[in-house]
């Protein structure tokens, strides 16, 4: 049985994922009021669009990190701009590709550190350089996180450090707070991604 206090968080997560994937891949998205709006799938050009100079994005590993970045995080032929602490200030503007890669990594690694081997690191997470691959990676990670949540009980929700994800406050927070945090990360980055899609479309007119 799913703990009753987890149910609304799962529903919020599901709705946020559905809206984000619809906004990225089409053919339609729910604007929030039940109205279906037609949306074209994101192209590779749009995925990598840099709206301002000096963006952090995902890059071919052979090209090296971008401005003010010191490394390319992740695995594979592509990596995500990053820097060791202390991070650059003010923070670089990040592209749609960077933001989608970030949330995909977050749900994938947290799923592993909740109900998997508790072993995945950022160096294991494959960064995708194409739009379709990036959307698929997010869907796979989101499904893994949701499956991990279905395996927890009330005691787990109250357990500090139940998730061993090494890149957040998981070691100091009750697991229910981490579930809430993942939702707000998805909601706010999803809104940023939606805005970047709107801006990209507007620049072509």
């Amino acid at each position: 049985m799913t703990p009753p206090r987890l149910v609304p968080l799962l529903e919020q997560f599901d709705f946020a994922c559905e809206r984000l994937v619809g906004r990225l891949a089409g053919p339609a998205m729910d604007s929030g009021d039940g109205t279906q709006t037609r949306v074209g799938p994101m192209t590779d050009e749009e995925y990598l669009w840099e709206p301002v100079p000096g963006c952090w994005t995902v890059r071919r590993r052979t090209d090296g990190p971008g401005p003010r970045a010191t490394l390319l995080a992740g695995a594979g032929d592509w990596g995500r701009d990053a820097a060791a602490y202390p991070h650059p200030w003010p923070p670089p503007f990040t592209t749609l590709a960077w933001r989608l890669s970030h949330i995909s990594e977050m749900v994938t690694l947290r799923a592993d550190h909740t109900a998997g081997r508790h072993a995945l690191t950022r160096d294991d997470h494959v960064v995708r350089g194409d739009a379709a691959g990036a959307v698929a990676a997010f869907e796979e990670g989101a499904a893994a996180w949701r499956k991990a949540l279905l395996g927890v009980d009330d005691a787990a929700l109250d357990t500090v450090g139940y998730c061993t994800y090494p890149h957040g406050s998981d070691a100091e927070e009750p697991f229910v707070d981490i579930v809430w945090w993942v939702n707000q990360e998805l909601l706010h980055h999803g809104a940023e991604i939606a805005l970047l899609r709107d801006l990209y479309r507007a620049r072509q007119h």
Side-chain angles (χ1 to χ4, degrees):
M1 291 291 292
T2 302
R5 57 192 164 134
L6 182 58
V7 171
L9 292 171
L10 279 171
E11 291 175 347
Q12 183 184 57
F13 178 77
D14 289 344
F15 183 59
C17 288
E18 181 182 358
R19 289 186 72 181
L20 177 56
V21 172
R23 189 70 178 82
L24 289 171
M29 60 161 286
D30 186 339
S31 63
D33 61 1
T35 302
Q36 293 291 311
T37 303
R38 292 196 62 78
V39 178
M42 176 175 56
T43 64
D44 290 349
E45 179 183 357
E46 180 182 2
Y47 174 66
L48 295 170
W49 176 53
E50 298 188 25
V52 297
C55 284
W56 275 14
T57 188
V58 302
R59 305 177 190 277
R60 292 186 186 277
R61 205 162 292 281
T62 53
D63 293 336
R68 297 197 291 159
T70 59
L71 61 105
L72 290 173
D77 294 335
W78 293 72
R80 189 175 68 252
D81 283 326
Y85 187 84
H87 305 305
W89 188 264
F93 190 90
T94 53
T95 64
L96 190 159
W98 193 100
R99 295 168 202 234
L100 187 55
S101 175
H102 165 65
I103 58 176
S104 297
E105 177 199 88
M106 177 192 66
V107 290
T108 300
L109 266 62
R110 274 203 166 98
D112 177 71
H113 282 271
T114 299
R117 296 185 299 113
H118 299 259
L120 288 182
T121 71
R122 286 178 172 162
D123 292 336
D124 300 313
H125 183 70
V126 176
V127 175
R128 298 302 302 257
D130 64 298
V135 173
F138 169 72
E139 290 184 291
E140 182 178 351
W145 174 242
R146 192 183 197 286
K147 182 179 179 181
L149 294 182
L150 293 178
V152 305
D153 56 17
D154 265 312
L157 291 177
D158 290 327
T159 300
V160 174
Y162 183 80
C163 176
T164 60
Y165 177 72
H167 305 298
S169 61
D170 302 58
E172 294 85 36
E173 303 284 350
F175 186 58
V176 69
D177 290 356
I178 300 304
V179 177
W180 174 87
W181 176 259
V182 169
N183 281 9
Q184 76 81 28
E185 281 282 283
L186 178 57
L187 289 164
H188 94 256
H189 284 306
E192 293 166 346
I193 288 169
L195 176 60
L196 285 168
R197 288 220 71 186
D198 289 342
L199 290 172
Y200 182 83
R201 183 183 68 248
R203 68 183 277 278
Q204 299 185 11
H205 298 301

